[in-house]
Amino acid sequence: MHTVWKGSISFGLVNIPIKLHAATENKDVKLRQLHKKCNTPISYKKVCEGCDQEVTEDEIVKAYEYAKNKFVVLDQEDLENLRKENEDKAVEIIDFVKLQEIDPIYFERSYYMSPDANGSKAYTLLRKTLEESGKIGVAKIIIRSKEQLAIVRVFKDALVMETIHFPDEVRSIGEVPNIPSEQAVVQKELDTALLLVDQLTTAFDPNKYQDEYRLRLMDLIEEKKADSTVTASEAKRPLPDNVTDLMSALQASLDKTKPKKTTRKRKTLKEKTS
């Protein structure tokens, strides 16, 4: 399993070298966009609107837009130093709380935690401590240059770290339009609704749920493959990057436009220009 982060986590004076591994994956079926005319994949270029030209990665800098079209340019070196300054620190569990105290709206992404070299004993100690106490740990961590609030909890036999949103990242419920105010509910309607809930109540089994749309889409794709209704894009033409390549491309274009039947051998463009 791919390691997405490597470092250490501590509670008190106990330090645990760990690795993080993504606990979930996106199963969406990715569809490519093709040119309808020739079935060639569409690519996207980075273009400067001011210069009206394509730019390369080494010509791009990062900046913060603090007002419309007003930017503070940030040096890559400064960003790198800031990232290292935070990433080099061990992750410390700063509080222990009950899981029920955190509303699910705060949860973002889950990572499995595995002990790194010589970390198994301390890893087991933390896992057992969380199990016996019924608590979860609250910590901060830097992942992909972003500081994250996170919780550490036990999931089956493993420790799991789940990143959670900071309070100011959760939008206020007051911003949601058209939420009805408290209204009287007809008791008969409420009783019927509660009865329906009782009839549909069961133990949660995640294996009974599946992505029906994705399954049907994959069935459709396999059906089209079996019917040979597949398409192939034209061979990608090499992009000329110097004069020699340009001459080769021109010569190839001339050769391609020659009549199939010819009795006289024509001179090539290269011979004419030499």
Side-chain angles (χ1 to χ4, degrees), residues 238-247 249:
L239 298 175
D241 57 1
N242 53 46
V243 176
T244 303
D245 286 342
L246 178 59
M247 290 301 298

Side-chain angles (χ1 to χ4, degrees), residues 193-229:
L194 290 172
L195 179 60
L196 177 61
V197 170
D198 285 340
Q199 291 176 346
L200 295 177
T201 298
T202 182
F204 178 65
D205 178 12
N207 294 317
K208 68 181 288 188
Y209 309 104
Q210 54 187 0
D211 188 339
E212 300 289 348
Y213 172 78
R214 173 164 58 88
L215 293 175
R216 289 198 296 269
L217 178 57
M218 289 307 302
D219 286 342
L220 176 61
I221 291 172
E222 292 299 325
E223 181 181 326
K224 287 186 173 292
K225 284 171 61 178
D227 292 342
S228 298
T229 54

Side-chain angles (χ1 to χ4, degrees), residues 6 31 50-51 56 70 72 77 87 102 106 111 122 140 146 148 159 217 235-236 241 247 260 267 271:
K6 182 178 179 179
L31 302 179
C51 303
T56 58
K70 292 185 177 181
V72 173
E77 183 178 354
E87 283 190 345
I102 304 177
Y106 285 93
Y111 298 90
K140 284 185 178 181
K146 182 181 186 300
Q148 301 263 193
L159 289 176
L217 178 57
K236 187 177 180 181
D241 57 1
M247 290 301 298
K260 292 184 178 180
K267 292 182 178 181
E271 291 173 341

Side-chain angles (χ1 to χ4, degrees), residues 116-236:
D116 205 353
N118 302 318
S120 295
K121 186 175 181 179
Y123 181 96
T124 303
L125 173 62
L126 177 57
R127 182 180 62 190
K128 190 66 175 177
T129 301
L130 294 177
E131 286 177 338
E132 292 290 331
S133 67
K135 302 290 179 61
I136 62 173
V138 179
K140 284 185 178 181
I141 184 174
I142 298 288
I143 300 178
R144 298 186 181 92
S145 302
K146 182 181 186 300
E147 185 174 64
Q148 301 263 193
L149 192 60
I151 62 139
V152 178
R153 66 183 182 91
V154 178
F155 179 70
K156 297 184 178 180
D157 293 330
L159 289 176
V160 171
M161 176 177 286
E162 304 201 42
T163 55
I164 62 177
H165 294 287
F166 285 101
D168 60 355
E169 294 179 318
V170 178
R171 293 175 175 172
S172 171
I173 193 69
E175 299 177 15
V176 183
N178 303 322
I179 294 181
S181 58
E182 186 67 27
Q183 295 180 346
V185 177
V186 178
Q187 188 61 44
K188 186 176 180 178
E189 295 176 343
L190 178 59
D191 291 340
T192 304
L194 290 172
L195 179 60
L196 177 61
V197 170
D198 285 340
Q199 291 176 346
L200 295 177
T201 298
T202 182
F204 178 65
D205 178 12
N207 294 317
K208 68 181 288 188
Y209 309 104
Q210 54 187 0
D211 188 339
E212 300 289 348
Y213 172 78
R214 173 164 58 88
L215 293 175
R216 289 198 296 269
L217 178 57
M218 289 307 302
D219 286 342
L220 176 61
I221 291 172
E222 292 299 325
E223 181 181 326
K224 287 186 173 292
K225 284 171 61 178
D227 292 342
S228 298
T229 54
V230 296
T231 58
S233 64
E234 294 183 0
K236 187 177 180 181

Side-chain angles (χ1 to χ4, degrees), residues 8 21 28 74 80 102 138 189 240 254 266:
S8 63
H21 316 272
D28 285 350
L74 301 171
E80 189 67 17
I102 304 177
V138 179
E189 295 176 343
L254 283 178
R266 298 180 181 177

Side-chain angles (χ1 to χ4, degrees), residues 60-63 72-82:
I60 299 175
V61 295
K62 293 183 178 180
V72 173
V73 177
L74 301 171
D75 295 333
Q76 186 61 35
E77 183 178 354
D78 292 336
L79 292 174
E80 189 67 17
N81 290 337
L82 184 61

